[in-house]
Amino acid sequence: MELIQQLVNGISLGSIYALIALGYTMVYGIVRLINFAHGDVFMIGSFVGFYAVTSFHVGFFPALLLAMVSCAILGVCIERIAYKPLRNATRIAVLITAIGVSLLIEYGTIYLRGAQPEAYPSTVLPDKKIEVLGVTVNSQSLLILGVSIVLMILLQFIVHKTKIGKAMRAVSHDAEAARLMGINVDNTISATFAIGSALAGAAGVIFGIYYTKIDPLMGIIPGLKAFVAAVLGGIGIIPGAMVGGLMLGVIESLVSGLGYSLWRDGVAFIILILILIFRPAGLFGKNVREKV
Amino acid sequence: MLKVESIDVFYGNIQALKGVSLEVKNGEIVTLIGANGAGKSTLLKTISGLLKPKQGDILYEGTSIAGKAAQTIVKQGISHVPEGRRIFANMTVEENLELGAFLRKDKQEIQQDFEKVYHLFPRLYERRKQLAGTLSGGEQQMLAIGRSLMARPRLLLLDEPSMGLAPLLVKTIFRIIEEINSFGTTILLVEQNAHMALSVADRAYVIESGRVVLSGTAQELNASEQVKKAYLGGH
Ligand SMILES: Nc1ncnc2c1ncn2[C@@H]1O[C@H](COP(=O)(O)OP(=O)(O)OP(=O)(O)O)[C@@H](O)[C@H]1O
Ligand SMILES: [Mg+2]
């Protein structure tokens, strides 16, 4: 039973990784850039949710929505200001810029509000123990899982059924051909940043409720792990990010469940190294990208 | 309909087009022939807004489109089938066609155009739910042409549609090009297969290292010694 408990924890944690990983993978898919500021967008989302609940006394869903919208705007600003001027620059220049943006957001936040952590008001979601087939699960975990699943389904719908989603897929496959269809590539890239960042914002709020403590540097480790999850699933592949995130969460929880909790963080990076050695394109990736 | 007026186009410091001028009149099939690296694709990309000319002008229906955004040019009725097809391999045939109509809002007429394209290319209809990447080379070329027709172009730019296709398929593609033209779409056709291109074209231009070196009616160029020697393999 302990094992199933850990499994449930792992899936909840994994769904948070998955939400962040989606942003990494979507942005990589469309501009071939690892947006290292993505973990910090997650952190901002967490704080927006925190202030919405504590200062404006809104409920969980309005706070979630507010965090998502704020992060979408932040993501678009980051793209337009920092990355767009570098679209034809070398990859290393863009990478260094991404790290710069990340530090700017982290220390900008510390400058504005200080480095002290906050206790997330977890009362915004009902916290009950529920017995399911002899396993006690926390009602919060279930809600968190539910919200994550709904967001991922929504994303799949946007990407596959809407015009902007089809434009995103077209641009990520071949930007020049997409321009010949009349697709505005710049706007499509911005939309991708907006959607990816909104998901990170949602993950931030969910993370806060789940782990109850947030601080301006909280985005670093989940950001790195979500990056590992994206690579695990195959960077640029949306279902890969979802599965990669869930797998990573479950593996971490099982490792701590087996009594090796000190190894929890290390495991993610061992997985990264193994993936890069044995299957660099990720679980869902074709090992050779077809180029016609 | 389209007038290219002595344009210069550069890739960085490399000049790919040197004072190229060319005209396409309403209803014509005009072909542009030339060897590898002559600048044919560069010219089409400049017309469709992927590249900007440094000098010169491009007039479409009397107004300048030089340096305009690709989407503006598509909207005005110029559609470009790029070299190497460039279909969206990870999407279905149907989605590729939908993307061709990206800027259009007239749902019913889009539906009619789907039917027209499927009528022109019954193979695409059979494979409409299939991923475009799984199509054969010939089918991919049909998809690329069908996709561009979904924009309802008045001027269609075709870049080497016969490239890499078996002789029988080349014939089919050229028959379809004539058919599209007969419905009233003007065509600017880039080809290395000069023989086939001249057989369907009204007029032709020959381009060599970024310059137009010869132009005339298709018959004239077919009879020209220079063209025979360089592009028609001597027969
Ligand atoms: N992206 C690019 N960067 C730099 N130079 C380029 C680029 N694309 C084309 N060129 C150069 O411009 C010249 C014209 O190329 P272009 O592709 O227009 O030729 P083409 O006539 O279409 O040839 P092909 O028949 O092989 O398709 C060539 O010398 C080519 O090397
Ligand atoms: Mg070419």
Side-chain angles (χ1 to χ4, degrees):
Chain A
M1 283 310 108
E2 173 69 16
L3 188 74
I4 296 178
Q5 197 84 53
Q6 288 296 344
L7 213 59
V8 173
N9 287 343
I11 292 172
S12 301
L13 173 64
S15 65
I16 295 175
Y17 289 155
L19 286 177
I20 310 175
L22 284 166
Y24 271 116
T25 230
M26 289 168 69
V27 163
Y28 183 86
I30 206 153
V31 282
R32 302 288 179 271
L33 152 76
I34 304 296
N35 178 17
F36 274 111
H38 193 59
D40 304 299
V41 173
F42 157 83
M43 175 275 289
I44 294 290
S46 198
F47 273 97
V48 170
F50 171 79
Y51 289 120
V53 171
T54 54
S55 307
F56 300 102
H57 309 291
V58 302
F60 171 73
F61 286 104
L64 186 76
L65 202 65
L66 196 66
M68 289 177 75
V69 171
S70 315
C71 286
I73 295 169
L74 176 64
V76 171
C77 291
I78 292 173
E79 192 271 325
R80 289 269 151 141
I81 296 168
Y83 300 146
K84 194 177 162 212
L86 297 178
R87 209 156 283 158
N88 297 315
T90 57
R91 290 173 76 121
I92 190 79
V94 185
L95 195 69
I96 291 168
T97 305
I99 294 169
V101 173
S102 166
L103 292 172
L104 179 72
I105 297 175
E106 285 163 14
Y107 292 94
T109 307
I110 291 177
Y111 176 77
L112 289 175
R113 63 162 294 287
Q116 75 284 6
E118 298 285 356
Y120 225 79
S122 55
T123 48
V124 287
L125 279 184
D127 190 7
K128 281 200 212 95
K129 299 267 179 266
I130 303 170
E131 287 261 331
V132 188
L133 304 168
V135 191
T136 25
V137 286
N138 184 313
S139 62
Q140 279 188 353
S141 310
L142 286 181
L143 260 168
I144 284 169
L145 191 61
V147 169
S148 309
I149 291 171
V150 167
L151 286 175
M152 288 187 230
I153 291 172
L154 194 65
L155 176 71
Q156 283 295 34
F157 175 79
I158 291 174
V159 168
H160 288 278
K161 298 288 175 216
T162 67
K163 214 161 170 170
I164 186 69
K166 285 175 188 167
M168 281 161 50
R169 282 192 292 150
V171 172
S172 80
H173 188 260
D174 185 339
E176 196 175 70
R179 282 170 70 194
L180 291 178
M181 303 299 106
I183 293 170
N184 184 325
V185 171
D186 285 338
N187 288 353
T188 307
I189 291 173
S190 291
T192 308
F193 270 86
I195 294 172
S197 303
L199 293 175
V205 176
I206 291 172
F207 182 95
I209 292 169
Y210 203 65
Y211 290 97
T212 63
K213 188 185 135 230
I214 63 170
D215 68 79
L217 300 181
M218 66 183 271
I220 299 173
I221 292 295
L224 281 173
K225 287 189 184 162
F227 170 64
V228 173
V231 174
L232 175 63
I235 188 104
I237 303 165
I238 288 177
M242 297 182 188
V243 174
L246 287 173
M247 274 179 68
L248 189 61
V250 168
I251 294 171
E252 277 193 3
S253 293
L254 291 183
V255 167
S256 13
L258 293 173
Y260 301 101
S261 44
L262 283 178
W263 281 89
R264 224 185 76 155
D265 288 345
V267 159
F269 301 102
I270 293 171
I271 290 175
L272 178 65
I273 292 166
L274 292 179
I275 276 284
L276 290 179
I277 293 174
F278 293 108
R279 216 182 145 77
L283 297 176
F284 282 53
K286 294 188 195 76
N287 266 325
V288 191
R289 273 189 73 90
E290 86 263 47
K291 270 275 174 210
V292 193
Chain B
M1 176 176 233
L2 181 80
K3 251 194 181 137
V4 176
E5 293 178 342
S6 58
I7 55 168
D8 288 351
V9 179
F10 288 79
Y11 292 104
N13 291 324
I14 307 160
Q15 185 166 12
L17 294 183
K18 300 160 188 162
V20 168
S21 296
L22 156 157
E23 187 176 3
V24 182
K25 298 197 188 89
N26 204 352
E28 280 188 319
I29 299 183
V30 172
T31 184
L32 180 68
I33 52 188
N36 289 111
K40 306 180 297 293
S41 302
T42 305
L43 178 59
L44 292 197
K45 285 183 183 175
T46 313
I47 296 171
S48 60
L50 296 180
L51 299 170
K52 289 189 193 347
K54 198 160 193 174
Q55 290 289 328
D57 205 356
I58 302 172
L59 300 175
Y60 175 65
E61 311 277 31
T63 56
S64 172
I65 55 165
K68 289 243 173 79
Q71 79 204 82
T72 316
I73 292 170
V74 176
K75 212 166 200 166
Q76 292 190 20
I78 301 181
S79 205
H80 178 172
V81 183
E83 183 176 328
R85 301 158 194 138
R86 309 281 285 270
I87 50 149
F88 302 109
N90 54 343
M91 297 195 204
T92 64
V93 167
E94 202 168 37
E95 287 173 324
N96 270 269
L97 294 177
E98 270 174 40
L99 283 168
F102 191 78
L103 291 174
R104 294 173 55 188
K105 304 227 153 53
D106 43 345
K107 281 231 167 67
Q108 273 179 347
E109 290 180 32
I110 292 175
Q111 207 47 49
Q112 285 172 12
D113 285 354
F114 262 110
E115 275 154 34
K116 274 189 202 157
V117 169
Y118 286 145
H119 185 73
L120 204 56
F121 304 109
R123 288 276 196 95
L124 295 185
Y125 182 73
E126 289 161 26
R127 290 166 171 59
R128 64 193 184 282
K129 299 287 178 205
Q130 207 167 306
L131 286 185
T134 65
L135 299 180
S136 74
E139 290 161 353
Q140 291 192 5
Q141 188 62 59
M142 294 174 190
L143 179 58
I145 295 175
R147 184 180 67 176
S148 71
L149 290 178
M150 291 302 292
R152 277 218 178 163
R154 279 178 297 144
L155 173 62
L156 186 60
L157 312 176
L158 291 163
D159 198 343
E160 302 202 32
S162 75
M163 187 169 66
L165 301 186
L168 201 63
L169 259 174
V170 173
K171 278 208 174 119
T172 313
I173 293 283
F174 274 92
R175 181 181 53 71
I176 285 164
I177 291 171
E178 285 188 294
E179 199 171 332
I180 293 168
N181 178 247
S182 73
F183 297 146
T185 309
T186 309
I187 290 173
L188 176 56
L189 169 67
V190 160
E191 262 301 337
Q192 288 204 33
N193 188 337
H195 190 65
M196 281 305 277
L198 288 173
S199 76
V200 298
D202 299 302
R203 288 187 309 110
Y205 290 82
V206 177
I207 183 169
E208 264 172 27
S209 3
R211 282 201 173 84
V212 172
V213 292
L214 211 61
S215 65
T217 64
Q219 287 98 319
E220 279 167 11
L221 290 203
N222 238 331
S224 137
E225 285 305 321
Q226 200 181 339
V227 172
K228 270 189 194 160
K229 224 168 69 201
Y231 303 103
L232 297 174
H235 44 254

